[in-house]
Amino acid sequence: NFGESFRSNESVVTLILRASGLTLQLVAYSFVIVLAVAIPLALLAATRQRSLVDRSISAAAVMGIAAPPFVVSVFLLYVFGVRLGWFPVFGPGEGLVDRIYHLTLPAIALASAMIALILKVTRASLIDVFDQEYITFARARGLRPRKVLLTYGLRNGLGAVATAAGLTLASLLASTALVEESFAIPGLGALLVGAVKEQDLPVVQGVALTLAAAILLITFITDILYVLLDPRLELEDSLT
């Protein structure tokens, strides 16, 4: 029980539950974008080391990390919302299709820096895996490059990717405030910003504790997935 809001006299739990749905949808959409863009690009870069493609992808990743989400939000709003008019500039939308349409720009803005992080981690992990002897042996057996890449390479590199993905999901959840505020999305981030402006202490405490608990849960699940996905850890356990 977090008490009642000073501003609206509503239960803080009610406010959090009302706002959390939009935030979870935005974070999930953004997380899908991160994985759908970062992992294929990392595979492409890792299989073409030191080529123009690899250097171009790495340079784009550096630019993505350097751009804060709120700056990307303003850029996307101006270019694709105001100038081109391809996407709405505020609000969450109604219904499934309209909701996805309205959340596309916020999800891209939220995902931009995290795409770069997952890309760099996945690329480094795959390059390390490709240098292992079992990859050389698999290639010497005449296996198709695609099978070597997906079955031997990606599977053995998933441990580091899962860890980075878990941290990314936690970061996305923690970074929603400014993006939701920029796009006028009434989620947990916007609720927190509004409560800070109004000095609504019970709401600030309730949202902060909720976000902290969610991040701890994500981190715990990530640690479990790391053990399950990395076959090398199973081998080390059996040897000891």
Side-chain angles (χ1 to χ4, degrees):
N1 182 10
F2 296 126
E4 295 182 350
S5 168
F6 292 160
R7 180 175 50 178
S8 63
N9 292 325
E10 289 186 85
S11 169
V12 174
V13 174
T14 301
L15 293 173
I16 291 174
L17 291 176
R18 185 187 303 160
S20 60
L22 274 174
T23 296
L24 291 176
Q25 292 170 19
L26 175 60
V27 169
Y29 191 5
S30 183
F31 189 62
V32 169
I33 292 174
V34 169
L35 296 183
V37 174
I39 292 180
L41 287 179
L43 287 169
L44 182 62
T47 53
R48 290 176 168 82
Q49 295 179 47
R50 301 180 184 87
S51 67
L52 178 61
V53 172
D54 181 25
R55 296 181 189 279
S56 300
I57 292 174
S58 297
V62 171
M63 293 175 60
I65 292 176
F70 69 90
V71 174
V72 179
S73 298
V74 174
F75 173 77
L76 294 176
L77 273 172
Y78 179 73
V79 175
F80 297 101
V82 177
R83 298 291 296 180
L84 298 176
W86 291 354
F87 293 93
V89 296
F90 65 90
E94 299 291 338
L96 178 61
V97 176
D98 195 41
R99 178 65 53 82
I100 293 174
Y101 182 49
H102 277 73
L103 292 183
T104 296
L105 288 185
I108 293 174
L110 196 59
S112 58
M114 296 300 106
I115 288 174
L117 175 63
I118 292 290
L119 195 159
K120 297 289 285 184
V121 171
T122 305
R123 176 186 175 278
S125 177
L126 288 174
I127 289 175
D128 180 64
V129 168
F130 290 158
D131 289 336
Q132 302 300 314
E133 292 182 355
Y134 57 84
I135 295 293
T136 304
F137 180 69
R139 288 169 175 164
R141 289 171 55 197
L143 296 178
R144 291 180 299 176
R146 183 176 179 181
K147 183 176 180 60
V148 174
L149 176 64
L150 298 179
T151 304
Y152 294 90
L154 187 58
R155 181 172 182 267
N156 286 282
L158 279 179
V161 177
T163 301
L167 296 175
T168 296
L169 188 57
S171 298
L172 291 174
L173 191 59
S175 304
T176 56
L178 293 177
V179 173
E180 289 180 353
E181 188 75 4
S182 300
F183 289 92
I185 297 173
L188 281 178
L191 178 64
L192 179 60
V193 172
V196 170
K197 290 179 180 178
E198 298 291 334
Q199 297 183 354
D200 197 343
L201 185 59
V203 176
V204 173
Q205 290 178 333
V207 175
L209 286 173
T210 300
L211 291 175
I215 291 171
L216 285 174
L217 179 61
I218 291 170
T219 305
F220 177 70
I221 294 174
T222 300
D223 289 339
I224 295 175
L225 286 177
Y226 181 74
V227 176
L228 295 176
L229 289 174
D230 195 335
R232 290 171 295 184
L233 295 180
E234 297 177 5
L235 178 60
E236 289 175 2
D237 291 340
S238 63
L239 291 176
T240 55

